[in-house]
Amino acid sequence: MTSPFKTGIPPRVALVLGGGGLKGFAHIGVLRALEERGIRPVLMAGTSIGALIAAAYVRGLTIPQMEERALSLRKPDLFRIDHMGMVVRRMLAPSLYLEQPLQDIVDRLAPEGTFRDLAIPLLVNTVDLERGTQVTWGLPGLQDVRVADAVYASCALPGFFPPRVIDGRTCVDGGVMENTPALVASRDVDAVIAVDVGSTSLTAARRVREKGFAAIFMRSAQVMMRSLQQMQLAAWHGPPLLLVRPPVWRYNWFSFAHTRTMIDAGYATACDVLDSVGESLYSAGGVYPRRDVEVLVDRDRCTGCGMCVTLAPALMRIDEGKATPLAGPLEWSRADGAFVTECPVQAISVMAIDADGQRHRTMEFRVESDS
């Protein structure tokens, strides 16, 4: 059936789904938007829950099937504390939670067999803990392993789930090094669509030190993943990249209470981005969509520490002891402006400028509280 939608997406596109805990349910909404527009990726790639959902898509699960399984998932289906291991092995226990519940979920969703058996190429991002290197299963020379093993390892957040030994490598969640593995998926394609659900605007965490070691570890991991993601996107040198960032940053990584909201957020954001991309992805490169923005500084709040100038010397300067933008309206992609949230007193804000010249505060650079 011919799609009623007209898009500017080139024929050979890779789809990359990032990690982000249960916020990754937004990927299901993105897949629905792509299917409605007749967009069929020639390659899938993912990290953590992104790898799991990409694997389910490659296996042939329909969007309604994915939605049904996501909506029915409950905490005991995934998180069961390894009481025995912690009592017997104590500090030598490999993880807080048991391996089997996660393995059962992976077995129900991932394709059987090895990467060589797949009809659609799939790349699953992991990290080899012992060698300290990124390992992307599905690449040439890394295809003769079970897909389910690689997907499990990609979901095995260190400390939360045990690592998986694959072909002699002790592998864990690929988000440790690259949460949205776009560059590795960019070879031999016309464009990349990358869905980032775990490295977007970071909400302010309240009383994190009172919530235990798991919360402290997860907060640290979030900060690390966002910083790595920003650096990787700032240095993007692959084909045109369409960055989809559903507004799910305010939700907890392991909240089971907002599944429907996150699926719908992924769908709405993908529809907006896909329907407005125009012919941008037929360019030579760059990150899209792009928009006009204005950077503002609250001079009363600014302390003149100079962090913004250090991070963005081409955009900011110190004038009379206060931070000052060097230029007027700028054209930014969603990968730009990382320095804004690094201001220690939150004196910098960003206004998006629409087609009519109207200015409105963009949500991406606001520091909000976790729900």
Side-chain angles (χ1 to χ4, degrees):
M1 184 173 67
T2 303
S3 169
F5 297 96
K6 184 177 181 179
T7 71
I9 306 300
R12 291 186 53 78
V13 63
L15 178 62
V16 180
L17 305 181
L22 300 184
K23 292 191 287 188
F25 288 143
H27 294 317
I28 300 173
V30 173
L31 286 170
R32 177 152 55 98
L34 292 171
E35 283 204 348
E36 287 180 351
R37 287 155 180 77
I39 300 169
R40 304 287 180 179
V42 298
L43 180 145
M44 301 285 293
T47 296
S48 196
I49 191 170
L52 181 63
I53 292 176
Y57 182 84
V58 170
R59 180 171 177 163
L61 267 70
T62 66
I63 304 306
Q65 287 173 328
M66 291 189 202
E67 288 191 1
E68 179 183 2
R69 298 190 185 197
L71 290 165
S72 66
L73 188 68
R74 297 294 180 265
K75 188 173 182 178
D77 299 329
L78 180 59
F79 298 116
R80 298 180 202 167
I81 295 177
D82 184 6
H83 293 287
M84 184 61 69
M86 297 179 73
V87 169
V88 174
R89 303 188 67 183
R90 298 188 180 184
M91 294 300 293
L92 293 179
S95 65
L96 178 62
Y97 297 110
L98 291 168
E99 173 182 309
Q100 197 57 49
L102 174 58
Q103 185 65 64
D104 290 342
I105 292 172
V106 170
D107 289 340
R108 289 195 295 268
L109 297 178
E112 297 179 356
T114 71
F115 286 87
R116 290 190 184 276
D117 302 323
L118 302 178
I120 302 174
L122 172 66
L123 302 180
V124 174
N125 191 37
T126 67
V127 167
D128 180 338
L129 272 185
E130 295 180 346
R131 294 176 175 86
T133 58
Q134 185 173 337
V135 181
T136 305
W137 302 101
L139 289 174
L142 297 170
Q143 297 174 325
D144 297 314
V145 301
R146 291 180 66 245
V147 176
D149 284 336
V151 173
Y152 170 89
S154 190
C155 294
L157 187 65
F160 282 68
F161 294 100
R164 173 61 52 83
V165 177
I166 308 174
D167 198 23
R169 302 171 185 266
T170 302
C171 295
V172 296
D173 191 332
V176 170
M177 292 186 70
E178 189 169 11
N179 203 39
T180 309
L183 192 59
V184 73
S186 67
R187 190 168 56 190
D188 299 325
V189 296
D190 301 321
V192 176
I193 299 174
V195 187
D196 179 11
V197 296
S199 307
T200 55
S201 296
L202 199 63
T203 56
R206 296 176 178 176
R207 301 185 300 276
V208 67
R209 69 176 184 175
E210 302 171 12
K211 297 178 181 179
F213 76 89
I216 292 171
F217 174 83
M218 275 306 305
R219 182 63 177 181
S220 302
Q222 275 186 277
V223 173
M224 176 194 70
M225 290 176 186
R226 186 183 69 156
S227 179
L228 288 172
Q229 189 69 72
Q230 288 169 343
M231 289 190 292
Q232 289 155 355
L233 288 172
W236 179 255
H237 59 272
L241 183 146
L242 186 66
L243 185 59
V244 181
R245 279 184 164 166
V248 295
W249 51 80
R250 68 183 64 186
Y251 301 111
N252 187 284
W253 275 47
F254 300 126
S255 171
F256 292 80
H258 305 286
T259 301
R260 180 78 265 168
T261 299
M262 289 188 281
I263 292 173
D264 291 344
Y267 176 74
T269 304
C271 288
D272 178 60
V273 170
L274 292 169
D275 294 344
S276 61
V277 68
E279 300 299 314
S280 299
L281 298 189
Y282 285 89
S283 64
V287 179
Y288 300 91
R290 306 188 70 81
R291 60 194 169 164
D292 292 330
V293 302
E294 184 176 6
V295 178
L296 305 174
V297 176
D298 184 336
R299 293 179 68 86
D300 291 333
R301 179 176 287 184
C302 176
T303 65
C305 72
M307 179 61 73
C308 58
V309 179
T310 301
L311 297 175
L315 299 178
M316 304 295 291
R317 64 185 173 91
I318 296 294
D319 180 25
E320 297 181 354
K322 301 289 184 178
T324 304
L326 279 170
L330 304 166
E331 186 186 62
W332 275 2
S333 76
R334 287 181 167 89
D336 296 313
F339 71 92
V340 173
T341 52
E342 298 300 325
C343 176
V345 293
Q346 300 175 30
I348 306 175
S349 59
V350 177
M351 303 292 286
I353 307 172
D354 62 25
D356 298 325
Q358 298 297 312
R359 288 164 167 74
H360 56 89
R361 193 176 301 277
T362 174
M363 297 292 290
E364 286 189 53
F365 300 101
R366 293 182 63 178
V367 179
E368 301 193 29
S369 299
D370 284 324
S371 61

